[in-house]
Amino acid sequence: MSLTLNRYAEKLEVPGIRKFSNRISEFPEAVNLTVGQPDFHTPAIVKQTFIDAVNDNYTTYSHNQGLPELRRAVSQFMADKYNACYESDCILITNGASEAIDTVFRTLLEPGDEVILPGPIYAGYIPVIENMGATVVLIDTTVNQCKVTPEMIEAVVTDKTKAIILNYPNNPTGAILSADDTAALAHYLAQQNFYTISDEIYSENTFGQPHVSFGSFPELQEKLLLINGLSKSHAMTGFRIGFCMGPAELMAHITIVHAYNCICANVPAQHAAIAAVTTARDAAAVMNEAYIVRRNYCMERLSAMNMRCIQPDGAFYLFIDIQPFAMTSFDFANRALEQYGVVIVPGSTFTAAGEGYVRLSYAYHQDVLAEGLNRLEAMVNDLTR
Ligand SMILES: Cc1ncc(COP(=O)(O)O)c(C=O)c1O
């Protein structure tokens, strides 16, 4: 008898970003521009609240849905910041947005279902969708500055469409949607017979126009699952706190799936999260000031190299067009690492729609960015010689 694995798990590969960042140790002098987390410290009040929670013995399980006090605080935060109104029984606290994504898809999907993905997009969705035996239907949004439109969606909807996942501000492109575009999409999606899942984890990281949440449109609420969290907004990636919001009846099912997976989110981290969304609710403002300076610096350097990128108005990434070099994004990133000592992520990591691009994260100190861009410039000069 031969022992087998689940057929979908067996196919899973190490995520493309990790494939590159895991190789950095082979190149000790390499400048790493791959990481998708803030290079700032967690606010002091949040750290202290975590420590106090441990010392005060808040080290046991919480309610499956999360601490009631945290859910009330998140409800207030979402209403004040985004006019997204959810009662606390419509909010689930998860172990990061990652767990929210996994739990939502495991609650909704069945084999044969189709999920629409406007790409380039975060690489974390596809494995979860495919693990459920569902199929990804990709839309290439690079033709429209990475902004999906109702017409693009309409062209791929079938009677098997179960959901669409949206991610604005977008990883890996930094694209955001205007208020008008968001309203038009919300109106279209409200008429459709499938769920909208909106991952708004970068909602606090916008550099001009504030984020407009899909949660602010009452007509869409019955079909919307809204995902957010504190990893990016509060530099809390290691705390693992996410939020999932939706209609009460659906959230009750999602909570049961979550409960069988992990019982509840990390409890001291839930206490720290209360401080994050109350006392430290505007923590992202300081980070955004730095991101704007860095983004502008990187764009000036790229433009001096005659390189073009998708207009980045949020998150902390640049998605750089490498099509003029007629090589795959994997080969480009590999050469950048092996011959020039700068680590960037191949665009193909973010679905096939990302081929022809590489992603650079500017969640790094200005000096690190300067050195990384010097190395990239050396490569570009050699390629265009
Ligand atoms: C779009 C997007 N969603 C979700 C996540 C995961 O967030 P969390 O740390 O809250 O699990 C990331 C992390 O990079 C991301 O870019």
Side-chain angles (χ1 to χ4, degrees), residues 36 96-98 101 122 125 167 171 199 201-202 231-232 240:
S98 306
I101 292 162
Y122 176 56
Y125 310 123
N167 170 227
N171 174 8
D199 175 355
I201 190 84
Y202 294 96
S231 285
K232 319 290 174 172
R240 313 307 304 130

